[in-house]
Amino acid sequence: MENGIGAVSQPGGTSVPVPLHPLESAGTLGRHLARRLVEVGVRDVFSVPGDFNLTLLDHLIAEPELNLVGCCNELNAGYAADGYARAKGIGACVVTFTVGGLSVINAIAGAYSENLPLICIVGGPNSNDYGTNRILHHTIGLPDFSQELCCFQTVTCYQAVVNHLEDAHELIDTAISTALKESKPVYISVSCNLPGIPHPTFARDPVPFFLAPRLSNQIGLEAAVEATAEFLNKAVKPVLVAGPKLRAAKAQKAFVELADACGYPVAVMPSGKGLFPEHHPHFIGTYWGAVSTAFCGEIVESADAYVFVGPIFNDYSSVGYSLLIKKEKAVIVQPNRVTIGDGPSLGWVFMADFLTALARKLKKNSTALENYCRIYVPPGVPLKSEINEPLRVNILFKHIQNMLSGETAVIAETGDSWFNCQKLRLPENCGYEFQMQYGSIGWSVGATLGYAQAAKEKRVIACIGDGSFQVTAQDISTMIRCGQRSIIFLINNAGYTIEVEIHDGPYNVIKNWNYTGLVDAIHNDEGKCWTTKVRTEEELVEAIATVMGAQKDSLCFLEVQVHKDDTSKELLEWGSRVAAANSRPPNPQ
């Protein structure tokens, strides 16, 4: 590459010179970062401009394989990067220093809790300002620029402050590779005066990105497999349970191999829903203690051995610490460690390696699956409603179930949608996402934007409560701007229903909005958007026909009005148990 001229190879080995974009003609930090994002699979970057990141944004725009998606605020940009990472394997957002960084940090913390590789890029102060004792705008007024970095150190697995060109290349590459290896977010701050300056370390195209494979300790792997096989092969009715860390460990395929080989019934933890194919003949539902799907909890808790693969046990997933699971019966498989009952715990054993090797050692045992088939009773009387009866939530989800296919994905917001969406049976290749560990209300609006941008072949169906929607509603605007065709069910039940069932009070009642009117105002006749209010089953059926037919290429927003006390029975049970756990008195000292 010389004088702004590149070369494109033609058939027969000849090359034709082509002029390069001015920003591509020199090896710059901005171009290197843009190319690295493309190399690891990022095609859309979610951003909010600010004076410290504007030059960097110029370089991202100049990269032909990168699309800059401007969001309404930094929190939503972070949530969008989270949703994008769930579909693509990695996501990225760009904000400005401190005012942007501290705004996006809640979304980054959520991605950390959910083990998502996410690159949070911040446009930082001019490199000459470091160490000068100057006070800068966008800061808290101290001549010290470390507050943002200190905050991000607790919610990212690596932090790179790029304020010298000499080590910029290494810092950026290390940050991106660490995000991929650890499956966690990283923080990269780039001084605002550096993106466009040529430097010898960027003079050539970067060496292709490469991550060395992580290999299990062979002796430890063999020992873990032998001990686990001995433990399970003497069990009478063992079961498998899939947890959320299957994704971070990239072990979903290996888990299916194990399920095929052993014949055990397979349940998923609530936060593992969507990570195991529900059309699989061994699938028995969601294991969530007292609020498990029908007949699933009984099979898991009565087993004499259970293999939990990639679990997260917290007060929410354990229904206020009420699971009837015994440590001595459990094999716990984490991304790099296996613990067998009360026996050995072996580290440096990676999940996919372990599951593949274990599949070859287990005897086929379908006893527990046969027990499930014996006790299982199919869903009973079909749900019916009277003509023009106010719509019930269980009727709503009966119709949402019929909308699902391999070309859809479900996003469930924190709240009663957690429990209603858990009961949906996912067809082959239907996506499913929710944020259980962090449980940040409002997450789903940004996540729907990001997921739909990453998985353009799927139509996203988002189930969002009115309280959650009020937190992050603005980025409906960005969905319309991007030409997305998601379907949003806004469930208007006049408050924070999940919190009502944990502990009620006047603070759980919210101001009612004209939600369709708000979205119509945001639409403003630019782009494709269709809204409607739904109060009865008849109106719902008509709206879904429109959504799937005449408006199939539009963003569709359905405000579903239901009674404030119309909740799933699972939320009622779960809420009372979580409330009991939250209200435990202090232990006597």
Side-chain angles (χ1 to χ4, degrees):
M1 181 197 307
E2 292 183 40
N3 301 322
I5 301 294
V8 175
S9 295
Q10 298 291 313
T14 59
S15 60
V16 177
V18 293
L20 295 174
H21 188 285
L23 288 173
E24 294 179 346
S25 62
T28 62
L29 185 160
R31 180 167 186 261
H32 175 80
L33 179 55
R35 286 304 306 158
R36 277 296 191 235
L37 292 175
V38 169
E39 280 192 324
V40 297
V42 174
R43 293 295 180 273
D44 299 271
V45 178
F46 301 92
S47 69
V48 177
D51 59 337
F52 286 127
N53 70 14
L54 299 177
T55 307
L56 179 59
L57 295 181
D58 286 340
H59 286 265
L60 300 182
I61 290 170
E63 168 52 55
E65 293 185 66
L66 215 50
N67 176 43
L68 204 64
V69 179
C71 295
C72 297
N73 61 48
E74 291 88 357
L75 178 61
N76 279 344
Y79 286 154
D82 170 314
Y84 192 91
R86 291 165 184 266
K88 272 273 191 181
I90 189 164
C93 57
V94 184
V95 299
T96 197
F97 186 59
T98 307
V99 288
L102 298 189
S103 181
V104 79
I105 200 166
N106 186 55
I108 303 305
Y112 189 97
S113 77
E114 300 276 321
N115 301 291
L116 296 169
L118 198 154
I119 301 163
C120 180
I121 303 163
V122 174
N126 186 293
S127 62
N128 298 304
D129 288 328
Y130 281 88
T132 60
N133 217 33
R134 290 174 176 156
I135 294 176
L136 288 185
H137 69 287
H138 285 344
T139 70
I140 62 170
L142 297 177
D144 166 17
F145 308 151
S146 65
Q147 295 89 27
E148 179 182 81
L149 173 63
C150 290
C151 293
F152 273 94
Q153 283 171 335
T154 59
V155 295
T156 56
C157 65
Y158 185 85
Q159 307 82 39
V161 178
V162 180
N163 52 20
H164 296 96
L165 286 170
E166 288 73 18
D167 60 357
H169 187 292
E170 181 183 352
L171 286 171
I172 290 168
D173 283 9
T174 303
I176 293 173
S177 61
T178 304
L180 290 166
K181 283 190 288 192
E182 300 297 325
S183 199
K184 296 278 191 186
V186 294
Y187 164 86
I188 302 175
S189 171
V190 179
S191 286
C192 61
N193 58 325
L194 299 186
I197 303 173
H199 191 270
T201 56
F202 303 119
R204 297 172 181 272
D205 277 342
V207 173
F209 201 81
F210 175 76
L211 276 181
R214 301 177 77 180
L215 301 174
S216 296
N217 177 307
Q218 199 58 35
I219 295 172
L221 175 63
E222 290 170 9
V225 169
E226 288 298 327
T228 304
E230 183 184 357
F231 182 84
L232 294 174
N233 284 336
K234 66 186 181 190
V236 178
K237 43 185 183 177
V239 299
L240 288 175
V241 185
K245 291 186 182 177
L246 264 176
R247 179 188 355 234
K250 296 180 171 55
Q252 289 165 255
K253 185 179 175 189
F255 185 81
V256 173
E257 287 174 15
L258 176 63
D260 288 339
C262 69
Y264 303 175
V266 180
V268 296
M269 297 184 74
S271 47
K273 185 175 176 71
L275 300 181
F276 180 79
E278 296 189 6
H279 64 281
H280 194 282
H282 300 172
F283 178 71
I284 63 169
T286 299
Y287 174 63
W288 200 351
V291 295
S292 300
T293 51
F295 309 101
C296 177
E298 294 82 354
I299 293 297
V300 173
E301 292 182 344
S302 67
D304 56 344
Y306 14 73
V307 186
F308 281 86
V309 182
I312 295 177
F313 294 109
N314 61 22
D315 52 339
Y316 273 16
S317 68
S318 68
V319 197
Y321 314 112
S322 66
L323 298 185
L324 301 178
I325 293 295
K326 293 182 166 54
K327 181 174 181 282
E328 63 270 19
K329 294 182 182 180
V331 176
I332 308 294
V333 186
Q334 293 293 10
N336 58 3
R337 176 170 293 275
V338 177
T339 304
I340 302 115
D342 286 329
S345 182
L346 297 149
W348 213 252
V349 174
F350 295 115
M351 187 185 286
D353 297 342
F354 172 77
L355 298 178
T356 299
L358 182 64
R360 295 193 286 266
K361 291 282 187 176
L362 291 184
K363 295 175 186 170
K364 198 121 184 166
N365 184 342
S366 57
T367 303
L369 184 60
E370 290 161 13
N371 286 349
Y372 173 79
C373 295
R374 281 190 200 97
I375 68 169
Y376 179 74
V377 178
V381 180
L383 292 168
K384 290 182 181 177
S385 59
E386 300 300 322
I387 294 173
N388 292 324
E389 176 191 340
L391 186 62
R392 302 196 307 270
V393 170
N394 49 23
I395 296 280
L396 166 65
F397 278 88
K398 178 184 81 169
H399 288 281
I400 291 175
Q401 175 70 70
N402 294 334
M403 297 171 72
L404 302 187
S405 72
E407 296 175 346
T408 61
V410 175
I411 289 189
E413 174 60 85
T414 300
D416 199 21
S417 292
W418 276 4
F419 302 91
N420 288 305
C421 290
Q422 279 292 331
K423 292 181 279 190
L424 295 172
R425 192 67 179 234
L426 303 180
E428 186 173 1
N429 294 322
C430 180
Y432 185 91
E433 298 294 343
F434 81 135
Q435 191 199 51
M436 185 171 191
Q437 172 59 39
Y438 204 56
S440 184
I441 66 168
W443 161 84
S444 64
V445 176
T448 297
L449 164 63
Y451 193 101
Q453 197 62 18
K456 291 186 172 69
E457 73 286 358
K458 290 189 185 293
R459 197 166 190 197
V460 177
I461 299 172
C463 300
I464 308 176
D466 51 343
S468 297
F469 184 73
Q470 287 194 7
V471 179
T472 48
Q474 308 94 312
D475 271 282
I476 292 281
S477 168
T478 313
M479 297 179 198
I480 297 169
R481 197 175 175 190
C482 291
Q484 294 182 359
R485 53 195 184 95
S486 299
I487 303 164
I488 295 173
F489 286 95
L490 186 285
I491 301 167
N492 184 351
N493 54 11
Y496 298 126
T497 303
I498 190 169
E499 291 170 15
V500 168
E501 301 308 334
I502 295 173
H503 184 90
D504 200 5
Y507 31 75
N508 290 326
V509 178
I510 61 173
K511 170 76 176 69
N512 192 35
W513 292 0
N514 177 358
Y515 293 98
T516 54
L518 174 73
V519 174
D520 288 339
I522 291 171
H523 175 209
N524 199 24
D525 294 324
E526 294 177 17
K528 292 183 178 179
C529 178
W530 183 77
T531 66
T532 190
K533 290 184 192 288
V534 172
R535 298 174 185 85
T536 65
E537 184 175 15
E538 291 79 12
E539 290 175 358
L540 177 66
V541 169
E542 186 179 335
I544 289 174
T546 303
V547 161
M548 306 301 278
Q551 299 294 338
K552 68 181 188 301
D553 295 322
S554 301
L555 181 82
C556 295
F557 183 90
L558 290 75
E559 180 185 340
V560 182
Q561 298 181 348
V562 296
H563 193 278
K564 68 182 181 65
D565 294 325
D566 185 359
T567 64
S568 64
K569 75 178 187 68
E570 291 82 7
L571 174 56
L572 298 175
E573 172 79 20
W574 178 90
S576 62
R577 289 174 183 255
V578 169
N582 285 354
S583 59
R584 287 167 297 158
N587 288 328
Q589 297 301 313

